[in-house]
Each structure stands twice: as structure tokens, then as C-alpha cells.
Amino acid sequence: MDNYGSSSSSYSYQNSGYAYPHNTPPSQYPPPNSDPYPPAPFPYPYPYDPAYSFPSPYAPTPFATSHSGPLGYHHHSPSHSSSPLPYPYPYPYPASTPAPASAPPVTQSAPGPTLQQHGSFQYGSGHYHDQQEQTTGNYPSVESPTQIPPRANSFSNHYRQESYSSVGVGISTKHDFDTESVSSTGHSIYPPLDDLLSNVHLSDNHPTALASPPAHSVSPLISSPQSARYERQGEFYGYPNSSFSSNWEGYYSDQVGSPSHSVYSHSSSFNGSQHTQNMQVVPFQNTGSLKVLLLHGNLDIWVYDAKNLPNMDMFHKTLGDVFAKLPVNVSNKIEGHMKTKITSDPYVSISVSNAIIGRTYVISNSEDPVWKQHFNVPVAHCAAEVHFVVKDSDVVGSQLIGVVAIPVEQIYSGARVEGVYPILNTNGKPCKAGAVLKLSIQYIPMETQSIFHSGVGAGPDYYGVPGTYFPLRKGCRVTLYQDAHVPDGTLPEVRLDGGFTYVHGKCWQDIFDAIRQARRLIYITGWSVWHNVKLVRDSSYASDFTLGDILRSKSQEGVRVLLLVWDDPTSRSILGYKTDGIMQTHDEETRRFFKHSSVQVLLCPRTAGKRHSWLKQREVETIYTHHQKTVIVDADAGNNRRKIIAFVGGLDLCDGRYDTPHHPLFRTLQTVHKDDYHNPTFTGNVAGCPREPWHDLHSRIDGPAAYDVLTNFEERWLKASKPHGMSKLKRKQYDDALLRLGRIPDIIGLSDAAATSEHDPEAWHVQIFRSIDSNSVEEFPKDPKEATNKNLVCGKNLLIDMSIHTAYVKAIRAAQHFIYVENQYFIGSSYNWTSHKDLGANNLIPMEIALKIADKIRANERFAVYIVIPMWPEGVPTGAATQRILFWQHKTMQMMYETIYKALVEAGLEGAYSPQDYLNFFCLGNREALHGNETTATGSPTAANSPQALSRKNQRFMIYVHSKGMIVDDEYVILGSANINQRSMEGTRDTEIAMGAYQPHHTWARKLRNPLGQIYGYRMSLWAEHMGTIEDCFTKPESLDCVRRVRSMGEMNWKQFAADEVTEMRAHLLKYPVEVDRKGKVRPLPGHENFPDAGGNIVGSFIAIQENLTI
């Protein structure tokens, strides 16, 4: 039934009908009541003597070559052998006393498991000694040979070098705002701070540590299947709980608590806050050696179950021990009231290169948890091992139970490795006798996945990005916008296939018209919505109506007008006391403007949820935002029917956003921008200073995908409007504000919403993506087991939609010719940086782009990437936060260029080509040669060397790139509100929305040549805006001629921008002011180490302690 205020809807997306196929566990997995583990076909090779462990007397044997750099790896084509690679360790292992042949079963009284959502999104590392206790319960006994090939394990940072040297584990001090990172010894659960800090080492990935015996990897208790399976149609990519590598959990604690010890290690639990990113407690160092290999593809993983886990709930265990000492009759009476045993709440995190790539949900109160949870994880990591970290969810965070490590060498052939593995603590001993984890893992290399071989939108049956919340919708129409307005005649014509000419859209004018023509509903979401902004300012179509005026007018006509605006916690209006807020979003001002109208404004704070700690809630509310920007209205569908259309992109309806491709600095200060001056770079007197030009991307969607944008609004509104605390006593119920479209017969539903036929050559296929969690939407399932059916990820007390990141990775992997990116930020893949690897900016996007170029170099094929970013992040470029962002951006650039250079060397092409023949970064800027006294400074004067005075004198300023978009091969476009950084991609930080779209009649697969559809026209229009012209080479952006031509234009424009002489700029594309040598080293541009006029180090700086704000 069509009911828009309830949990169901006639057109709400039902994933069961569209979801990417969800696998059930393999058929060979036995029924729950049967013995799940048959006798081992070979004896477990590692002896165990509980009395002591064996230090290895051998130093690691280095490989023939070694080097330093972000991408030191062996690039091998995966072998197709039918068995896993053996451990390559030649040393004889010292003999030991064999383990007993059997052990009595352990009587357990744990109650049946229940589910809860949890996750301390930090992780760490640990070392294991090569020992194993006898298993118990349903697990087979094993025999221990006297000699085995030893192998060293590491759960530390994987250094990118050919000879992989393990480093000791430590407690990460990256925090989650849920608990402190604590490790205790002796009789106290929580040690004095001095004890913890005694081992602290501040370093840049060069930790020192005490000597300690090496750790050794574990073998499965049962054999692995011998068949290698590479391609699993319908299974690879984007499965739930695995969208990307995120630094969700702290480094593994250096000590593990067990029932027989008074040593407890709680993981850091500031949920990514990471206030002391570079501090590690490193208790010992491992001298083992493992080969680091590049994993680029997908990991297909099943985490089945665990057995015989220790009871980590020490409070209840201690209480039980006290009862046991009481007289028998008293103890029996007390225990009679304890209906169930209180024990561990286990979950498993999966990590590669110290980056979490997946996690199971928490099973409460169980020492024998059964997950049967599937992950299909995209990976682009250099690693020696895949770690399965078993933790106990705790009230104040989590405790490490133990770790299972699978060597990458063992899975690199592509064979599925399946087995039962002992769970070892950091001393190399089983965390408990018989504690084991059953899992399976298979590496599926990129080259074996056909979905990435034929472009982004190949074939009529292409089903879009799999593993996402919303499906691909067909039969849509899309309009793509650049900037808020493009006046007629501003940009040159672009010819398309079929004799069409690209039409330059007028974004804010179209939004104004859509609002004005709405009859039923107007729903707006925004980071900022300002009632006083004027949407239409073109002299031929100017309107004096502000956004607030037209919205109040429409509400008086009976149109339902709802505004869902981020509640900036620093802006307040209480009893006449008003603060504008640090971000100056006008949220309180807009609320007051509509207070006595029928327009409903819901200020929505970014919350962490009531199940999080007070500190975590404060962090989320203060640092993170609701960042989506959408406008949803009903529109004329013909035949007296109405339909839903939606606008999605990067433009907020607020001050400072209105601009045109000319991007004026001074000329419009007294006209178009008279009441709309915005430039946060300057503080104090800004009279006569240039405005900050604004470049952005946006879109209009007509068709079924617009209904998914509406569903997003409804889910968010229902969550935000749910009364809390004293608000429950108020009469006003915001959930009643949503229209039930099923009760409005003239509005067509989703099933009838197609805007055009699929046979129409101008038809679009569109898919909606989000970064959002269950703290911000109402309709996510309560049971985490159901999350997989909705393609959601398990998090700490929440479920997460991370499909924007999934969409970016999928598009990059499918790219065949070129990638064009415009984004406000470009930070990621920190796990592969030369330093600060534990930063937590673990999104795959930069690494995927670099590996795409590397793959094309090895294949001797042309490929090019153009990335346009702001000259500096908005604000004061000398500020600490801005400098940090620039520093992380520089680290990202450096990693990418070194990866490309390494591929050139491998292909023997380093003499013929440079990294910049494949990858280039640009920014935008403008300069106006004003005649006469066109700008008159008033007010108090500023110092001659201040940014204000210098910018007035030199008449120049950057054009702020606020875009959030990517074009691939002129056939696919992604744009929305999401930046390329961890804030936007993780899903638990800023809330985001984006669209991915293509025209099925304008793809490489359909045309067998460069497609000349709307996306091609859009890119050419953007390039015409940035470069002031259109040249023939622009039609083949992957060509070396085009790359070098665009780069040379950027270099010439930069020289004009930076020159002492003031000249009018006709083109705006500038080379990003860094120097990249032929070996990929990124340095400040000689003579331009700081930004012109505004100052600030171009490559940034990092001082003090890292926080989540800047990544």
C-alpha cells in the first residue's frame, strides 16, 4: 500500500527485488546440529608446550632487492596452481614436547546467542609464538611433529619493501571517543598512566621496541580445497560489510586478557577520532620476514563460527568466583537467581595492511558464536597477511581475544583456503584451549573479473553498481549543470552524436522554476539553506524573490514545504542571545524566518546515537555534518498527473554559491554579488577585496531514480523528527508532515515513473548512492543479520550505507581510457603512504586510480587522469587545519606518482615517459585587469603585506573548486555531495548523497568508439570553461598529445596568475603549484613554496596531534 508516513511505500526501494545476489553459505557447510568439523586429513604441524615458547635464533633472510616507497610489492600474475603456496621458511623448528593427543571436553553453560550491533572501529596488531594448545569440544585432536618450518607473523605496519620485516605490535592510541586505550598488569585492571606511557614511542613509522621472540603463523586444522576459483559471477564486488578499507578499529592490543590472567587490554574506542595518531606502544619487535604482495581485486570471505572462546567478562567471572567461595547452600541460592552465564560478546574484524575491510556483527553472550557472514571486499593493498581479529564487545570499548593470520602467499594463487584456525594471543599461545575460528578466503584478482573489462556501462543487461542500497533505475532523463548559472552565449557549442548540440543548463534558474511550478510538495535538504538567497540574477530573467519568499508563498498555496537542514551546534538562538556559528550556515536565521509560516524547518544535528558514549556523541555532533544537498518537487507529468523530480549535487542554496563560468572577482561586487559577498580567506576588513569565485557541479533527475532521492529524504526526516526527551511532550509531530503519496491519486508511483523509453537514444540509466548510517535514517533494519539483505555494513551500534565509495571504486576499475575528477578534497589510501600509514584515511580511490594507470602502463596502453582541486581548502591557508589537509593531500599525490613511476620502471619505459604523462593535478584561478578605480576600499586600512592588500594590489584569487564529481571515458558520470576523503566516504561521518549515470546508447561498448553523448558534451563544456577554448585533441583525452597540451596550458596560466604584471585571464585552469620530477617525487614549485598573496605552505605541514576533522 502507498503509505509515505509509515515504514512501507509503494515505490520505496525493496532490496529483495533488486539487490545484488546474496549468497548462502556453501552447501558443504553442515547443519547446525551436526559435527561441523571432520577429522583433520593431516596432523597440525605446530607443537605446543604450555610451559614455554621458542624464540627463533634466525634473522630474516632478505630478498635480492629492497627499496623504500609507498608501493614496494611483487607484482605477479596469480599462479593457477590448485593448492596454496607453501610457507617459504627453510629453518628447522626446535623440538618440543608434543601436545597431548587428546583433551577432555570443556563443559560450557553459555546461553544461546543473541545479536547486538557493535563495533569499536579501531584495530591493531599482535605477534604470535608458534604454539598451539590441544583443541576441545567438537574439534579433532592433533598430533605435533617434532620439526616444522617456522614462519614469522606480524600484526604491525606492513613496510613496503621487498624483504618484509615484521615489527612488534602495540596499542594504538587512535581513539574512538568510547573509552580510553588501557592495558594493565598485576592486580589492577586499569594501570597508572605512567605505566602505559613508559613504552610510548612517538615516531614516523620507525618504532623502536624491546626484543621479543618472533611469532609464527598458524595452519588450519583442516585442509583447504584444492580447486582455484577466480570468477564468481554475481558475487564479486561490493558485498555488505566490506565496502572499503576503513580504519575502524585500533591496533591490536599488546596484551590479551584471558580468564586465567589479570591482564586486560581494551581497544581504543574513540571511533576514528585518533587524537594521537603517531603514538604507538611497542612492547617487542619481531625479526621474522614475510613477502609483501599486492592484492588488487576482491577478497571473497566467509566467517562461519568460533568455538571455545574465553570468557572476557571479568566482572561477572570475578563475581562467580566470589560465589564459589561461599558456603554451598548460600552459593546455590545466589546462583539460582542467575539464570544465564554472562560471558563474551564476540565479533570479528578483518584487516589488510592495518586497514579494516570488514567486520561481523556482535553476538551477545556466547563462547561459541555462529556468524555465517559473507564478505566480498575490494582490496588494493600491499600486505603480507590478512588478519582476522576476534574481539569481545565491551561497555567501554572492546577487548582483544585473539587473532588468526592468513599469509597472502597462501591465497595469492586464487585457490579458496578454508579451515579451522586456532585463535592466538600476542604471546603466540591459544587464547584458550580449543579456541578456534572457522573461515574461508579466496583472492579474486582484477584481471579475472570480466565486469571491469568492457567499460562502465557495457551491454544492455548491465545492472549497475552491485551491492548497493538502491538499484540501477532505467528510463530516466538527466540534466548536468556546471556552476549555479551559465548565461546564454557564455560557452562555445559542443556537437554531439545524432546532430544534437549540447545545451548548457542553468541550475538555479531551473530549481527556481521547479519550486515555482510545484503543486504538492517541496522537500529540501542542505548543509546550509539561507532564506535570503536569490536564485535568479540574470539580467534577462532577474527576480527580486528570495528563496524564503517563494517557499512561504508556495506553502500558502497548500504545497507541503519541508526543509531538513544541518543543525550547526555552534549557532544558537536562546532567549534573544544569538550566535552565527563557526560555519555561518544561517540555520538559526532560516528557522526564525519561517517560524510563523506553514514552512516546516527541521534543524537536524549530526548525532552518534544514544548507545554511544557521551564523548563520542559530542565528537560526532561537533565535527561531522549532514552534507547532502537535494531539492525534491512534484512536476507536471502530462494528462493531469504529477511526478517526482529531484536535484542532486554539490550546490547548497545559500550565500557565496552563485557564480558563472566567468567567475568574476571584483566586477560584480556592486551588482550581482552586492548582497552576497563571501570570502572566508580574509579576516577583518574586506573592503575592496575579491570575492571567492565558486565552481560546482549539480544535476537534475527525472524518472524512477528521483523516487530514490525522495526515499532518502523520507528516511532522514522520519529519523530526525522522532521526538526525544522533553520534545515527546510537544504536540507538533514532524513525522505527520510527510505526504503519503499513495493517498494522492494524481502523483504517479515508482512503477510508472519512467520518463522515457529505454529505446530512446537520449535515455539515461541512473543509480543513487549514499554515505550514511542508521543514526541518520529510520528505515534500516534493526537486526544486523538483515543488513546483508539491504547491502549495509555493520558498524558500532549502527548499520552503514557506503555505496558512494563502492560506486567510485567500481567506476575506476572499469575505466578503459581516461578519468576526469573535480573535487573539493583529494585524500585517501593512507595505508600505502610512506609515513602516517595509520592516519585512517583508508578509502581506496587514490590507490585505485594509481593502480589503474600502472596496469595500463604494463599493458602498454594509453591512459590519462586529470584531477582538479582547489588551490587550498576554504579558509585561511596558513591555519593549522588547512595546512594539515594540504599535508595529507601532498602525501596522497606522492603515493600515486611513486606508484606510477614504479610501473614505468617495471615496463622499462621510465626513459620514454614521466609520471605526469599519465596523471596531472590542476587548480583554478582568475585575474582581472581592472581599469580606473573600479574597486574602492573603505573602512579601516589593512597592512600593505596583508592578504587583503596583496590580493587587491595583484587583482587575483583562486576559484574555489567545490565540485564533487568524476567522469569516466565520456560514458559515465558520478556527482553529488561527497568529497574524496574519509569524512565523505566512510558513512559514519558526514552524510552524503550522489548519483551515478550513463546513457546506454552512448557507451564505448555500443559505439565501438569514443561516445559523443551528453556526458561527452558536459566534459567538453567544463574544459571550455576552464581553458577558454576547445581544441581537437580534447576529443581524445587519453592521448599523449592531449595530456601534454592541457598540462602546458595549465603551466602557462599559472605563470600568468603568479606574475607581477596584472593581466586579464581568459582561461582559469592552472597547473597545481608543485613540481613532479621524472621519478615521481613531489616538491614545492621552485620560487612558489607559498600561495600567492594568501600565504601558507603549498605542500602543507603537520604539527601536533592528528584528529578526524582534516581527513
Side-chain angles (χ1 to χ4, degrees), residues 872-887:
W872 66 82
E874 189 175 29
V876 180
T878 56
T882 305
Q883 282 291 295
R884 285 187 186 182
I885 294 171
L886 291 166
F887 185 76

PDB file of all heavy atoms in Angstrom, residues 872-887:
ATOM      1  N   TRP A 872      43.710  25.840  -2.402  1.00  0.00           N
ATOM      2  CA  TRP A 872      43.825  25.462  -0.999  1.00  0.00           C
ATOM      3  C   TRP A 872      42.414  25.269  -0.443  1.00  0.00           C
ATOM      4  O   TRP A 872      41.453  25.794  -0.985  1.00  0.00           O
ATOM      5  CB  TRP A 872      44.589  26.504  -0.179  1.00  0.00           C
ATOM      6  CG  TRP A 872      43.938  27.844  -0.022  1.00  0.00           C
ATOM      7  CD1 TRP A 872      42.973  28.210   0.862  1.00  0.00           C
ATOM      8  CD2 TRP A 872      44.216  29.017  -0.794  1.00  0.00           C
ATOM      9  NE1 TRP A 872      42.628  29.529   0.706  1.00  0.00           N
ATOM     10  CE2 TRP A 872      43.379  30.056  -0.305  1.00  0.00           C
ATOM     11  CE3 TRP A 872      45.097  29.308  -1.861  1.00  0.00           C
ATOM     12  CZ2 TRP A 872      43.398  31.341  -0.845  1.00  0.00           C
ATOM     13  CZ3 TRP A 872      45.105  30.594  -2.380  1.00  0.00           C
ATOM     14  CH2 TRP A 872      44.259  31.586  -1.870  1.00  0.00           C
ATOM     15  N   PRO A 873      42.242  24.497   0.623  1.00  0.00           N
ATOM     16  CA  PRO A 873      40.915  24.304   1.213  1.00  0.00           C
ATOM     17  C   PRO A 873      40.360  25.633   1.709  1.00  0.00           C
ATOM     18  O   PRO A 873      41.113  26.512   2.145  1.00  0.00           O
ATOM     19  CB  PRO A 873      41.165  23.339   2.371  1.00  0.00           C
ATOM     20  CG  PRO A 873      42.458  22.681   2.042  1.00  0.00           C
ATOM     21  CD  PRO A 873      43.269  23.693   1.291  1.00  0.00           C
ATOM     22  N   GLU A 874      39.049  25.764   1.655  1.00  0.00           N
ATOM     23  CA  GLU A 874      38.429  27.040   2.014  1.00  0.00           C
ATOM     24  C   GLU A 874      38.809  27.442   3.432  1.00  0.00           C
ATOM     25  O   GLU A 874      38.762  26.640   4.352  1.00  0.00           O
ATOM     26  CB  GLU A 874      36.913  26.949   1.883  1.00  0.00           C
ATOM     27  CG  GLU A 874      36.222  28.287   2.027  1.00  0.00           C
ATOM     28  CD  GLU A 874      34.725  28.184   1.765  1.00  0.00           C
ATOM     29  OE1 GLU A 874      34.166  27.106   2.013  1.00  0.00           O
ATOM     30  OE2 GLU A 874      34.137  29.186   1.322  1.00  0.00           O
ATOM     31  N   GLY A 875      39.172  28.686   3.571  1.00  0.00           N
ATOM     32  CA  GLY A 875      39.587  29.213   4.864  1.00  0.00           C
ATOM     33  C   GLY A 875      40.947  29.880   4.758  1.00  0.00           C
ATOM     34  O   GLY A 875      41.423  30.196   3.664  1.00  0.00           O
ATOM     35  N   VAL A 876      41.571  30.077   5.878  1.00  0.00           N
ATOM     36  CA  VAL A 876      42.880  30.732   5.933  1.00  0.00           C
ATOM     37  C   VAL A 876      43.955  29.698   5.635  1.00  0.00           C
ATOM     38  O   VAL A 876      44.112  28.738   6.395  1.00  0.00           O
ATOM     39  CB  VAL A 876      43.107  31.371   7.313  1.00  0.00           C
ATOM     40  CG1 VAL A 876      44.470  32.054   7.379  1.00  0.00           C
ATOM     41  CG2 VAL A 876      41.992  32.363   7.627  1.00  0.00           C
ATOM     42  N   PRO A 877      44.718  29.850   4.554  1.00  0.00           N
ATOM     43  CA  PRO A 877      45.667  28.793   4.164  1.00  0.00           C
ATOM     44  C   PRO A 877      46.833  28.622   5.117  1.00  0.00           C
ATOM     45  O   PRO A 877      47.514  27.595   5.065  1.00  0.00           O
ATOM     46  CB  PRO A 877      46.142  29.243   2.775  1.00  0.00           C
ATOM     47  CG  PRO A 877      45.864  30.694   2.706  1.00  0.00           C
ATOM     48  CD  PRO A 877      44.667  30.940   3.566  1.00  0.00           C
ATOM     49  N   THR A 878      47.075  29.605   5.986  1.00  0.00           N
ATOM     50  CA  THR A 878      48.142  29.447   6.974  1.00  0.00           C
ATOM     51  C   THR A 878      47.658  28.762   8.249  1.00  0.00           C
ATOM     52  O   THR A 878      48.473  28.443   9.123  1.00  0.00           O
ATOM     53  CB  THR A 878      48.722  30.830   7.341  1.00  0.00           C
ATOM     54  OG1 THR A 878      47.649  31.678   7.796  1.00  0.00           O
ATOM     55  CG2 THR A 878      49.398  31.471   6.139  1.00  0.00           C
ATOM     56  N   GLY A 879      46.359  28.519   8.375  1.00  0.00           N
ATOM     57  CA  GLY A 879      45.811  27.893   9.569  1.00  0.00           C
ATOM     58  C   GLY A 879      46.243  26.447   9.717  1.00  0.00           C
ATOM     59  O   GLY A 879      46.547  25.751   8.740  1.00  0.00           O
ATOM     60  N   ALA A 880      46.254  25.961  10.940  1.00  0.00           N
ATOM     61  CA  ALA A 880      46.732  24.603  11.225  1.00  0.00           C
ATOM     62  C   ALA A 880      45.895  23.545  10.517  1.00  0.00           C
ATOM     63  O   ALA A 880      46.436  22.600   9.932  1.00  0.00           O
ATOM     64  CB  ALA A 880      46.734  24.363  12.734  1.00  0.00           C
ATOM     65  N   ALA A 881      44.574  23.675  10.555  1.00  0.00           N
ATOM     66  CA  ALA A 881      43.718  22.674   9.923  1.00  0.00           C
ATOM     67  C   ALA A 881      43.919  22.658   8.411  1.00  0.00           C
ATOM     68  O   ALA A 881      44.023  21.582   7.794  1.00  0.00           O
ATOM     69  CB  ALA A 881      42.252  22.945  10.266  1.00  0.00           C
ATOM     70  N   THR A 882      43.990  23.834   7.786  1.00  0.00           N
ATOM     71  CA  THR A 882      44.205  23.902   6.346  1.00  0.00           C
ATOM     72  C   THR A 882      45.557  23.318   5.975  1.00  0.00           C
ATOM     73  O   THR A 882      45.679  22.589   4.976  1.00  0.00           O
ATOM     74  CB  THR A 882      44.118  25.368   5.872  1.00  0.00           C
ATOM     75  OG1 THR A 882      42.872  25.917   6.300  1.00  0.00           O
ATOM     76  CG2 THR A 882      44.220  25.453   4.371  1.00  0.00           C
ATOM     77  N   GLN A 883      46.577  23.614   6.747  1.00  0.00           N
ATOM     78  CA  GLN A 883      47.900  23.071   6.469  1.00  0.00           C
ATOM     79  C   GLN A 883      47.924  21.544   6.588  1.00  0.00           C
ATOM     80  O   GLN A 883      48.608  20.862   5.826  1.00  0.00           O
ATOM     81  CB  GLN A 883      48.929  23.700   7.411  1.00  0.00           C
ATOM     82  CG  GLN A 883      49.352  25.102   7.005  1.00  0.00           C
ATOM     83  CD  GLN A 883      50.175  25.101   5.733  1.00  0.00           C
ATOM     84  OE1 GLN A 883      51.284  24.576   5.692  1.00  0.00           O
ATOM     85  NE2 GLN A 883      49.633  25.687   4.675  1.00  0.00           N
ATOM     86  N   ARG A 884      47.172  21.012   7.525  1.00  0.00           N
ATOM     87  CA  ARG A 884      47.118  19.555   7.642  1.00  0.00           C
ATOM     88  C   ARG A 884      46.454  18.924   6.424  1.00  0.00           C
ATOM     89  O   ARG A 884      46.914  17.905   5.906  1.00  0.00           O
ATOM     90  CB  ARG A 884      46.353  19.159   8.907  1.00  0.00           C
ATOM     91  CG  ARG A 884      47.135  19.369  10.173  1.00  0.00           C
ATOM     92  CD  ARG A 884      46.400  18.806  11.353  1.00  0.00           C
ATOM     93  NE  ARG A 884      47.077  19.133  12.593  1.00  0.00           N
ATOM     94  CZ  ARG A 884      46.678  18.730  13.792  1.00  0.00           C
ATOM     95  NH1 ARG A 884      45.584  18.000  13.891  1.00  0.00           N
ATOM     96  NH2 ARG A 884      47.347  19.054  14.870  1.00  0.00           N
ATOM     97  N   ILE A 885      45.363  19.508   5.982  1.00  0.00           N
ATOM     98  CA  ILE A 885      44.687  18.972   4.806  1.00  0.00           C
ATOM     99  C   ILE A 885      45.635  18.988   3.607  1.00  0.00           C
ATOM    100  O   ILE A 885      45.718  18.013   2.845  1.00  0.00           O
ATOM    101  CB  ILE A 885      43.410  19.775   4.507  1.00  0.00           C
ATOM    102  CG1 ILE A 885      42.387  19.583   5.635  1.00  0.00           C
ATOM    103  CG2 ILE A 885      42.809  19.366   3.165  1.00  0.00           C
ATOM    104  CD1 ILE A 885      41.184  20.499   5.536  1.00  0.00           C
ATOM    105  N   LEU A 886      46.368  20.086   3.442  1.00  0.00           N
ATOM    106  CA  LEU A 886      47.336  20.175   2.348  1.00  0.00           C
ATOM    107  C   LEU A 886      48.444  19.136   2.511  1.00  0.00           C
ATOM    108  O   LEU A 886      48.928  18.572   1.520  1.00  0.00           O
ATOM    109  CB  LEU A 886      47.933  21.580   2.294  1.00  0.00           C
ATOM    110  CG  LEU A 886      46.980  22.686   1.854  1.00  0.00           C
ATOM    111  CD1 LEU A 886      47.567  24.057   2.173  1.00  0.00           C
ATOM    112  CD2 LEU A 886      46.665  22.579   0.360  1.00  0.00           C
ATOM    113  N   PHE A 887      48.828  18.857   3.747  1.00  0.00           N
ATOM    114  CA  PHE A 887      49.859  17.853   4.005  1.00  0.00           C
ATOM    115  C   PHE A 887      49.367  16.461   3.618  1.00  0.00           C
ATOM    116  O   PHE A 887      50.067  15.694   2.946  1.00  0.00           O
ATOM    117  CB  PHE A 887      50.252  17.898   5.478  1.00  0.00           C
ATOM    118  CG  PHE A 887      51.391  16.990   5.837  1.00  0.00           C
ATOM    119  CD1 PHE A 887      52.683  17.325   5.512  1.00  0.00           C
ATOM    120  CD2 PHE A 887      51.154  15.798   6.511  1.00  0.00           C
ATOM    121  CE1 PHE A 887      53.745  16.486   5.853  1.00  0.00           C
ATOM    122  CE2 PHE A 887      52.199  14.959   6.855  1.00  0.00           C
ATOM    123  CZ  PHE A 887      53.504  15.303   6.522  1.00  0.00           C
TER     124      PHE A 887
END
